[in-house]
Amino acid sequence: MAEESSDRTPAPRADVCVVGAGPAGAIVAARLAEAGHDVVVLDAGPRFDLADREAQLDAHLRPGVNGLWDMGGERDAYATDGPRDYPLNAARVKGVGGSTLHWQGMVMRLHERDFELRSRHSVGTDWPIDYADLRPYYAAAERELGVAGADDNPFAPPREEPFPLPAFPPSHSDAIFAEACESLGLPTHSVPNARNSEPYDGAAGCAGYGTCKPVCPSGAKYTAERHIARAEAAGARVIDRAPVQRLVHDDAGRRVEAAVYATPDGTEHRQAARSVVLACGGVENVRLLLLSDSEAYPDGLANSSGLVGRHFMDHCFAGAGGRIDRPTRQNHVGFNTTECHALYDGTDPLPGVKLEFLNYAGPSPVTQALGADDWGDALLDDLRDAYGTHLAVGGLVEQFPNAENRITLDRSTTDDHGNPVPKVRWSVGPRTRAAIERANEVQVAVLEELGAEVDWVVGPDATGPAFHHMGTTRMGTDPAESVVAPDCRTHDLDNLWIAGSSVFPTGGAMNPTLTIAALSCRLADRLDGWL
Amino acid sequence: MDLTRRDAVAALAATGGAVAVGRAFLDSPSTESAAADAAVPENALASLVAVAEVVYPDAATGVGDFVETYVAGRVADDDARRAGVVETAAALDATARDWFETPLTDLDPETLDGMLRDLRVDVSDPDPDGGLPGRVRFYVVNELLYAFYASPTGGRLVGIENPAGHPGGVESYRQAEMSSETEDDG
């Protein structure tokens, strides 16, 4: 953990108070601070010191070392009550950088169909904005994150300029997959990565540690720490270990007046601000609104629609793996370089499916060695047997919004400040299950085309979430049907804005962070104009 | 496969912070570098080398210099790790003296292997704060296996020149075959 900030008192004046120092909030903070506004950022977690990243790599690779990102305990208590368990604390990081500290860094644009599901297919809902509205902000977001990519995806929506950085070239195993995919009519293409293929914006190029998720010691993987640094350089005040307890509004119930936050010494402070941007993720955004209930908003702040917390969505993993009779050269790097979006825009299945060709199939020798119950020559023999010929195809599958999947408060359990903890109810519906099965069919077909012996399949029963929290403060034009307006400002309060994937009306099957960043760029423009 | 101090420095690269010490040790004219010697007592290093001779495959030679350089670098800036390694090595040596009435470093590899298995180090979860088997697994066996298999040195024996934890660059993942050992492993 970085050196303690000594002063956690409020700023005397703030144009904007941003709650949450992950990518959604950090980008807003940086752009508004650079535009000359007085910005304060509050985050519940600590600053993690860049000098500790190698030690964190140890914590990841070596069993018996704890505390990679310090998630868990009373601060992060939660409950689940749905048909599926939801491992919430594996799915997020609290601290400066937020969940980009442990993310993998895949950054695709949503496709045009993602904004128009209701119109095109009579499912889900339409976004109140379309791809064309977001397109210039996607380009801005790619520059903000330093995306390495290539314009080689025949299924991707139109783009107007090259990626900021060249794509990482395909892996050896990508070349193996490409043969099979070509014969099955599945074009493959590069993966846009928020990871420096060469030095960019003061950060190093990828060093190949192979541990991107959950920690990049080289600094080549984008984390929102970069935008927090930019915000601070432009004069923003960033206060860590300052969990916001509630938002307080004026008598009329039209404006948030202040964010009340706690500090490690037990003191509560009140940060007044002309505007507030809520950016603490699809779970904590909801929790903070519900904790801020009042006479004017008995069901939670900004919750006149009753939809705060509803329509919680994630992406479901589908995958298959096996072994072939030749070297596959896995586990050199921890990121992927080839995908296939061929199944994404059609109707078989209707939910979006994105296929990923993994560069880290099968065991990593060092991880296997540290957990083995043998050593010497016997261990080396085991490692040689286990390594070298694995292949795997993963994928993300879309969930359509379902109001019963939701975040609420568990009033029977409280956190370290006595606040009720979040409760997650998550299920996987029949359409998603069928789409996962379809993804599995294609994944197994690719492996069998290569003559692989398929030894695992993750299907609808074994699927799990990809840790993308979406939909819980959805965007729309009708205040009865949505929480925020198309500019990401809440319908109920004039100066309360929400950044992040909680505003997504639908989630597609693309990793959400590029869209989060694009919406934050757009929100910053709108808020700048409002201020 | 002859392990060298250069291999140890490559292994240290995976742990980042101690690389400078490792390089200083590598560049020093003799093994009596003050920076390295001060870190871990000679008897503890000798115990670690003896265990390494057991847990490393027979193909590994030059284990002494590799382990001494690696351990010196690993603990240079980490007092807690140094204390854990030294205390655990001492406890293991005390066990050898108790069971066999001889220092651990005088045990033949078969006897030491049997002692570690009788202690159930092979099947214990590594635990820096646990009982002796968990601590030996954490501070001694896994420290040694990490040095070996998170470096190109051990990785190559398995078939991977850029194992997880080693900053070996972004070329090897694209290659159909393992590069020759004379090429830079990053």
Side-chain angles (χ1 to χ4, degrees), chain A residues 245-263:
Chain A
Q245 307 295 295
R246 60 194 174 277
L247 302 178
V248 179
H249 63 70
D250 62 2
D251 291 341
R254 292 302 302 172
R255 296 175 70 89
V256 174
E257 292 187 324
V260 177
Y261 65 94
T263 50

mmCIF file with all atom_site columns, all heavy atoms in Angstrom, chain A residues 245-263:
data_model
loop_
_atom_site.group_PDB
_atom_site.id
_atom_site.type_symbol
_atom_site.label_atom_id
_atom_site.label_alt_id
_atom_site.label_comp_id
_atom_site.label_asym_id
_atom_site.label_entity_id
_atom_site.label_seq_id
_atom_site.pdbx_PDB_ins_code
_atom_site.Cartn_x
_atom_site.Cartn_y
_atom_site.Cartn_z
_atom_site.occupancy
_atom_site.B_iso_or_equiv
_atom_site.pdbx_formal_charge
_atom_site.auth_seq_id
_atom_site.auth_comp_id
_atom_site.auth_asym_id
_atom_site.auth_atom_id
_atom_site.pdbx_PDB_model_num
ATOM 1   N N   . GLN A 1 245 ? -20.525 7.326  2.689   1.00 0.00 ? 245 GLN A N   1
ATOM 2   C CA  . GLN A 1 245 ? -21.572 6.681  3.483   1.00 0.00 ? 245 GLN A CA  1
ATOM 3   C C   . GLN A 1 245 ? -22.963 6.968  2.932   1.00 0.00 ? 245 GLN A C   1
ATOM 4   O O   . GLN A 1 245 ? -23.855 6.135  2.979   1.00 0.00 ? 245 GLN A O   1
ATOM 5   C CB  . GLN A 1 245 ? -21.500 7.174  4.934   1.00 0.00 ? 245 GLN A CB  1
ATOM 6   C CG  . GLN A 1 245 ? -20.112 7.038  5.568   1.00 0.00 ? 245 GLN A CG  1
ATOM 7   C CD  . GLN A 1 245 ? -19.712 5.583  5.711   1.00 0.00 ? 245 GLN A CD  1
ATOM 8   O OE1 . GLN A 1 245 ? -20.321 4.826  6.453   1.00 0.00 ? 245 GLN A OE1 1
ATOM 9   N NE2 . GLN A 1 245 ? -18.691 5.174  4.964   1.00 0.00 ? 245 GLN A NE2 1
ATOM 10  N N   . ARG A 1 246 ? -23.140 8.192  2.444   1.00 0.00 ? 246 ARG A N   1
ATOM 11  C CA  . ARG A 1 246 ? -24.439 8.565  1.883   1.00 0.00 ? 246 ARG A CA  1
ATOM 12  C C   . ARG A 1 246 ? -24.291 9.893  1.152   1.00 0.00 ? 246 ARG A C   1
ATOM 13  O O   . ARG A 1 246 ? -23.349 10.659 1.410   1.00 0.00 ? 246 ARG A O   1
ATOM 14  C CB  . ARG A 1 246 ? -25.497 8.699  2.994   1.00 0.00 ? 246 ARG A CB  1
ATOM 15  C CG  . ARG A 1 246 ? -25.175 9.739  4.050   1.00 0.00 ? 246 ARG A CG  1
ATOM 16  C CD  . ARG A 1 246 ? -26.053 9.622  5.290   1.00 0.00 ? 246 ARG A CD  1
ATOM 17  N NE  . ARG A 1 246 ? -25.612 10.545 6.322   1.00 0.00 ? 246 ARG A NE  1
ATOM 18  C CZ  . ARG A 1 246 ? -24.622 10.298 7.179   1.00 0.00 ? 246 ARG A CZ  1
ATOM 19  N NH1 . ARG A 1 246 ? -23.948 9.158  7.113   1.00 0.00 ? 246 ARG A NH1 1
ATOM 20  N NH2 . ARG A 1 246 ? -24.280 11.190 8.091   1.00 0.00 ? 246 ARG A NH2 1
ATOM 21  N N   . LEU A 1 247 ? -25.220 10.127 0.258   1.00 0.00 ? 247 LEU A N   1
ATOM 22  C CA  . LEU A 1 247 ? -25.315 11.413 -0.423  1.00 0.00 ? 247 LEU A CA  1
ATOM 23  C C   . LEU A 1 247 ? -26.479 12.171 0.205   1.00 0.00 ? 247 LEU A C   1
ATOM 24  O O   . LEU A 1 247 ? -27.526 11.586 0.507   1.00 0.00 ? 247 LEU A O   1
ATOM 25  C CB  . LEU A 1 247 ? -25.553 11.209 -1.925  1.00 0.00 ? 247 LEU A CB  1
ATOM 26  C CG  . LEU A 1 247 ? -24.498 10.379 -2.669  1.00 0.00 ? 247 LEU A CG  1
ATOM 27  C CD1 . LEU A 1 247 ? -24.891 10.212 -4.134  1.00 0.00 ? 247 LEU A CD1 1
ATOM 28  C CD2 . LEU A 1 247 ? -23.115 11.008 -2.560  1.00 0.00 ? 247 LEU A CD2 1
ATOM 29  N N   . VAL A 1 248 ? -26.281 13.464 0.381   1.00 0.00 ? 248 VAL A N   1
ATOM 30  C CA  . VAL A 1 248 ? -27.293 14.295 1.048   1.00 0.00 ? 248 VAL A CA  1
ATOM 31  C C   . VAL A 1 248 ? -27.830 15.303 0.040   1.00 0.00 ? 248 VAL A C   1
ATOM 32  O O   . VAL A 1 248 ? -27.055 15.974 -0.642  1.00 0.00 ? 248 VAL A O   1
ATOM 33  C CB  . VAL A 1 248 ? -26.652 15.045 2.244   1.00 0.00 ? 248 VAL A CB  1
ATOM 34  C CG1 . VAL A 1 248 ? -27.696 15.924 2.926   1.00 0.00 ? 248 VAL A CG1 1
ATOM 35  C CG2 . VAL A 1 248 ? -26.044 14.055 3.223   1.00 0.00 ? 248 VAL A CG2 1
ATOM 36  N N   . HIS A 1 249 ? -29.172 15.413 -0.042  1.00 0.00 ? 249 HIS A N   1
ATOM 37  C CA  . HIS A 1 249 ? -29.752 16.336 -1.019  1.00 0.00 ? 249 HIS A CA  1
ATOM 38  C C   . HIS A 1 249 ? -30.385 17.546 -0.333  1.00 0.00 ? 249 HIS A C   1
ATOM 39  O O   . HIS A 1 249 ? -30.537 17.594 0.901   1.00 0.00 ? 249 HIS A O   1
ATOM 40  C CB  . HIS A 1 249 ? -30.758 15.611 -1.914  1.00 0.00 ? 249 HIS A CB  1
ATOM 41  C CG  . HIS A 1 249 ? -31.942 15.047 -1.193  1.00 0.00 ? 249 HIS A CG  1
ATOM 42  N ND1 . HIS A 1 249 ? -32.938 15.811 -0.645  1.00 0.00 ? 249 HIS A ND1 1
ATOM 43  C CD2 . HIS A 1 249 ? -32.285 13.758 -0.917  1.00 0.00 ? 249 HIS A CD2 1
ATOM 44  C CE1 . HIS A 1 249 ? -33.851 15.037 -0.089  1.00 0.00 ? 249 HIS A CE1 1
ATOM 45  N NE2 . HIS A 1 249 ? -33.470 13.782 -0.229  1.00 0.00 ? 249 HIS A NE2 1
ATOM 46  N N   . ASP A 1 250 ? -30.774 18.509 -1.160  1.00 0.00 ? 250 ASP A N   1
ATOM 47  C CA  . ASP A 1 250 ? -31.372 19.729 -0.637  1.00 0.00 ? 250 ASP A CA  1
ATOM 48  C C   . ASP A 1 250 ? -32.834 19.482 -0.249  1.00 0.00 ? 250 ASP A C   1
ATOM 49  O O   . ASP A 1 250 ? -33.382 18.397 -0.469  1.00 0.00 ? 250 ASP A O   1
ATOM 50  C CB  . ASP A 1 250 ? -31.257 20.870 -1.660  1.00 0.00 ? 250 ASP A CB  1
ATOM 51  C CG  . ASP A 1 250 ? -32.006 20.559 -2.951  1.00 0.00 ? 250 ASP A CG  1
ATOM 52  O OD1 . ASP A 1 250 ? -32.645 19.472 -3.042  1.00 0.00 ? 250 ASP A OD1 1
ATOM 53  O OD2 . ASP A 1 250 ? -31.949 21.379 -3.885  1.00 0.00 ? 250 ASP A OD2 1
ATOM 54  N N   . ASP A 1 251 ? -33.478 20.533 0.317   1.00 0.00 ? 251 ASP A N   1
ATOM 55  C CA  . ASP A 1 251 ? -34.852 20.375 0.791   1.00 0.00 ? 251 ASP A CA  1
ATOM 56  C C   . ASP A 1 251 ? -35.808 20.029 -0.338  1.00 0.00 ? 251 ASP A C   1
ATOM 57  O O   . ASP A 1 251 ? -36.784 19.293 -0.140  1.00 0.00 ? 251 ASP A O   1
ATOM 58  C CB  . ASP A 1 251 ? -35.320 21.670 1.473   1.00 0.00 ? 251 ASP A CB  1
ATOM 59  C CG  . ASP A 1 251 ? -34.583 21.893 2.786   1.00 0.00 ? 251 ASP A CG  1
ATOM 60  O OD1 . ASP A 1 251 ? -34.017 20.901 3.301   1.00 0.00 ? 251 ASP A OD1 1
ATOM 61  O OD2 . ASP A 1 251 ? -34.570 23.036 3.281   1.00 0.00 ? 251 ASP A OD2 1
ATOM 62  N N   . ALA A 1 252 ? -35.521 20.553 -1.502  1.00 0.00 ? 252 ALA A N   1
ATOM 63  C CA  . ALA A 1 252 ? -36.427 20.306 -2.624  1.00 0.00 ? 252 ALA A CA  1
ATOM 64  C C   . ALA A 1 252 ? -36.251 18.919 -3.227  1.00 0.00 ? 252 ALA A C   1
ATOM 65  O O   . ALA A 1 252 ? -37.079 18.462 -4.031  1.00 0.00 ? 252 ALA A O   1
ATOM 66  C CB  . ALA A 1 252 ? -36.198 21.365 -3.701  1.00 0.00 ? 252 ALA A CB  1
ATOM 67  N N   . GLY A 1 253 ? -35.157 18.267 -2.862  1.00 0.00 ? 253 GLY A N   1
ATOM 68  C CA  . GLY A 1 253 ? -34.904 16.947 -3.430  1.00 0.00 ? 253 GLY A CA  1
ATOM 69  C C   . GLY A 1 253 ? -34.466 16.997 -4.882  1.00 0.00 ? 253 GLY A C   1
ATOM 70  O O   . GLY A 1 253 ? -34.595 16.012 -5.605  1.00 0.00 ? 253 GLY A O   1
ATOM 71  N N   . ARG A 1 254 ? -33.920 18.122 -5.302  1.00 0.00 ? 254 ARG A N   1
ATOM 72  C CA  . ARG A 1 254 ? -33.524 18.262 -6.701  1.00 0.00 ? 254 ARG A CA  1
ATOM 73  C C   . ARG A 1 254 ? -32.009 18.276 -6.893  1.00 0.00 ? 254 ARG A C   1
ATOM 74  O O   . ARG A 1 254 ? -31.523 18.139 -8.002  1.00 0.00 ? 254 ARG A O   1
ATOM 75  C CB  . ARG A 1 254 ? -34.118 19.556 -7.291  1.00 0.00 ? 254 ARG A CB  1
ATOM 76  C CG  . ARG A 1 254 ? -35.624 19.553 -7.439  1.00 0.00 ? 254 ARG A CG  1
ATOM 77  C CD  . ARG A 1 254 ? -36.111 18.401 -8.315  1.00 0.00 ? 254 ARG A CD  1
ATOM 78  N NE  . ARG A 1 254 ? -35.526 18.430 -9.652  1.00 0.00 ? 254 ARG A NE  1
ATOM 79  C CZ  . ARG A 1 254 ? -35.671 17.459 -10.558 1.00 0.00 ? 254 ARG A CZ  1
ATOM 80  N NH1 . ARG A 1 254 ? -36.347 16.353 -10.247 1.00 0.00 ? 254 ARG A NH1 1
ATOM 81  N NH2 . ARG A 1 254 ? -35.131 17.556 -11.750 1.00 0.00 ? 254 ARG A NH2 1
ATOM 82  N N   . ARG A 1 255 ? -31.265 18.521 -5.819  1.00 0.00 ? 255 ARG A N   1
ATOM 83  C CA  . ARG A 1 255 ? -29.812 18.606 -5.957  1.00 0.00 ? 255 ARG A CA  1
ATOM 84  C C   . ARG A 1 255 ? -29.123 17.867 -4.815  1.00 0.00 ? 255 ARG A C   1
ATOM 85  O O   . ARG A 1 255 ? -29.531 17.983 -3.654  1.00 0.00 ? 255 ARG A O   1
ATOM 86  C CB  . ARG A 1 255 ? -29.348 20.069 -5.942  1.00 0.00 ? 255 ARG A CB  1
ATOM 87  C CG  . ARG A 1 255 ? -29.846 20.905 -7.093  1.00 0.00 ? 255 ARG A CG  1
ATOM 88  C CD  . ARG A 1 255 ? -29.429 22.357 -6.913  1.00 0.00 ? 255 ARG A CD  1
ATOM 89  N NE  . ARG A 1 255 ? -27.986 22.559 -7.078  1.00 0.00 ? 255 ARG A NE  1
ATOM 90  C CZ  . ARG A 1 255 ? -27.406 22.829 -8.251  1.00 0.00 ? 255 ARG A CZ  1
ATOM 91  N NH1 . ARG A 1 255 ? -28.136 22.926 -9.348  1.00 0.00 ? 255 ARG A NH1 1
ATOM 92  N NH2 . ARG A 1 255 ? -26.117 23.021 -8.334  1.00 0.00 ? 255 ARG A NH2 1
ATOM 93  N N   . VAL A 1 256 ? -28.077 17.151 -5.154  1.00 0.00 ? 256 VAL A N   1
ATOM 94  C CA  . VAL A 1 256 ? -27.229 16.593 -4.109  1.00 0.00 ? 256 VAL A CA  1
ATOM 95  C C   . VAL A 1 256 ? -26.365 17.725 -3.585  1.00 0.00 ? 256 VAL A C   1
ATOM 96  O O   . VAL A 1 256 ? -25.754 18.466 -4.365  1.00 0.00 ? 256 VAL A O   1
ATOM 97  C CB  . VAL A 1 256 ? -26.347 15.452 -4.659  1.00 0.00 ? 256 VAL A CB  1
ATOM 98  C CG1 . VAL A 1 256 ? -25.368 14.975 -3.589  1.00 0.00 ? 256 VAL A CG1 1
ATOM 99  C CG2 . VAL A 1 256 ? -27.199 14.302 -5.141  1.00 0.00 ? 256 VAL A CG2 1
ATOM 100 N N   . GLU A 1 257 ? -26.312 17.854 -2.281  1.00 0.00 ? 257 GLU A N   1
ATOM 101 C CA  . GLU A 1 257 ? -25.503 18.921 -1.702  1.00 0.00 ? 257 GLU A CA  1
ATOM 102 C C   . GLU A 1 257 ? -24.109 18.455 -1.310  1.00 0.00 ? 257 GLU A C   1
ATOM 103 O O   . GLU A 1 257 ? -23.152 19.215 -1.388  1.00 0.00 ? 257 GLU A O   1
ATOM 104 C CB  . GLU A 1 257 ? -26.205 19.488 -0.463  1.00 0.00 ? 257 GLU A CB  1
ATOM 105 C CG  . GLU A 1 257 ? -27.480 20.238 -0.799  1.00 0.00 ? 257 GLU A CG  1
ATOM 106 C CD  . GLU A 1 257 ? -28.070 20.935 0.415   1.00 0.00 ? 257 GLU A CD  1
ATOM 107 O OE1 . GLU A 1 257 ? -27.973 20.357 1.518   1.00 0.00 ? 257 GLU A OE1 1
ATOM 108 O OE2 . GLU A 1 257 ? -28.631 22.033 0.256   1.00 0.00 ? 257 GLU A OE2 1
ATOM 109 N N   . ALA A 1 258 ? -24.013 17.195 -0.869  1.00 0.00 ? 258 ALA A N   1
ATOM 110 C CA  . ALA A 1 258 ? -22.716 16.748 -0.347  1.00 0.00 ? 258 ALA A CA  1
ATOM 111 C C   . ALA A 1 258 ? -22.642 15.229 -0.330  1.00 0.00 ? 258 ALA A C   1
ATOM 112 O O   . ALA A 1 258 ? -23.661 14.531 -0.295  1.00 0.00 ? 258 ALA A O   1
ATOM 113 C CB  . ALA A 1 258 ? -22.513 17.282 1.075   1.00 0.00 ? 258 ALA A CB  1
ATOM 114 N N   . ALA A 1 259 ? -21.411 14.756 -0.349  1.00 0.00 ? 259 ALA A N   1
ATOM 115 C CA  . ALA A 1 259 ? -21.121 13.340 -0.104  1.00 0.00 ? 259 ALA A CA  1
ATOM 116 C C   . ALA A 1 259 ? -20.527 13.237 1.295   1.00 0.00 ? 259 ALA A C   1
ATOM 117 O O   . ALA A 1 259 ? -19.536 13.921 1.603   1.00 0.00 ? 259 ALA A O   1
ATOM 118 C CB  . ALA A 1 259 ? -20.134 12.811 -1.143  1.00 0.00 ? 259 ALA A CB  1
ATOM 119 N N   . VAL A 1 260 ? -21.139 12.419 2.135   1.00 0.00 ? 260 VAL A N   1
ATOM 120 C CA  . VAL A 1 260 ? -20.624 12.215 3.488   1.00 0.00 ? 260 VAL A CA  1
ATOM 121 C C   . VAL A 1 260 ? -19.720 10.979 3.459   1.00 0.00 ? 260 VAL A C   1
ATOM 122 O O   . VAL A 1 260 ? -20.159 9.898  3.068   1.00 0.00 ? 260 VAL A O   1
ATOM 123 C CB  . VAL A 1 260 ? -21.781 12.015 4.490   1.00 0.00 ? 260 VAL A CB  1
ATOM 124 C CG1 . VAL A 1 260 ? -21.222 11.720 5.885   1.00 0.00 ? 260 VAL A CG1 1
ATOM 125 C CG2 . VAL A 1 260 ? -22.684 13.238 4.505   1.00 0.00 ? 260 VAL A CG2 1
ATOM 126 N N   . TYR A 1 261 ? -18.459 11.170 3.842   1.00 0.00 ? 261 TYR A N   1
ATOM 127 C CA  . TYR A 1 261 ? -17.524 10.054 3.783   1.00 0.00 ? 261 TYR A CA  1
ATOM 128 C C   . TYR A 1 261 ? -16.812 9.857  5.108   1.00 0.00 ? 261 TYR A C   1
ATOM 129 O O   . TYR A 1 261 ? -16.716 10.774 5.927   1.00 0.00 ? 261 TYR A O   1
ATOM 130 C CB  . TYR A 1 261 ? -16.516 10.246 2.638   1.00 0.00 ? 261 TYR A CB  1
ATOM 131 C CG  . TYR A 1 261 ? -15.580 11.431 2.776   1.00 0.00 ? 261 TYR A CG  1
ATOM 132 C CD1 . TYR A 1 261 ? -14.306 11.282 3.338   1.00 0.00 ? 261 TYR A CD1 1
ATOM 133 C CD2 . TYR A 1 261 ? -15.954 12.684 2.311   1.00 0.00 ? 261 TYR A CD2 1
ATOM 134 C CE1 . TYR A 1 261 ? -13.432 12.353 3.446   1.00 0.00 ? 261 TYR A CE1 1
ATOM 135 C CE2 . TYR A 1 261 ? -15.096 13.769 2.420   1.00 0.00 ? 261 TYR A CE2 1
ATOM 136 C CZ  . TYR A 1 261 ? -13.833 13.608 2.979   1.00 0.00 ? 261 TYR A CZ  1
ATOM 137 O OH  . TYR A 1 261 ? -12.978 14.676 3.085   1.00 0.00 ? 261 TYR A OH  1
ATOM 138 N N   . ALA A 1 262 ? -16.342 8.641  5.303   1.00 0.00 ? 262 ALA A N   1
ATOM 139 C CA  . ALA A 1 262 ? -15.622 8.294  6.533   1.00 0.00 ? 262 ALA A CA  1
ATOM 140 C C   . ALA A 1 262 ? -14.135 8.191  6.229   1.00 0.00 ? 262 ALA A C   1
ATOM 141 O O   . ALA A 1 262 ? -13.739 7.922  5.093   1.00 0.00 ? 262 ALA A O   1
ATOM 142 C CB  . ALA A 1 262 ? -16.137 6.970  7.085   1.00 0.00 ? 262 ALA A CB  1
ATOM 143 N N   . THR A 1 263 ? -13.329 8.388  7.240   1.00 0.00 ? 263 THR A N   1
ATOM 144 C CA  . THR A 1 263 ? -11.877 8.237  7.077   1.00 0.00 ? 263 THR A CA  1
ATOM 145 C C   . THR A 1 263 ? -11.362 7.208  8.081   1.00 0.00 ? 263 THR A C   1
ATOM 146 O O   . THR A 1 263 ? -12.068 6.854  9.033   1.00 0.00 ? 263 THR A O   1
ATOM 147 C CB  . THR A 1 263 ? -11.164 9.595  7.278   1.00 0.00 ? 263 THR A CB  1
ATOM 148 O OG1 . THR A 1 263 ? -11.624 10.181 8.495   1.00 0.00 ? 263 THR A OG1 1
ATOM 149 C CG2 . THR A 1 263 ? -11.463 10.533 6.125   1.00 0.00 ? 263 THR A CG2 1
#
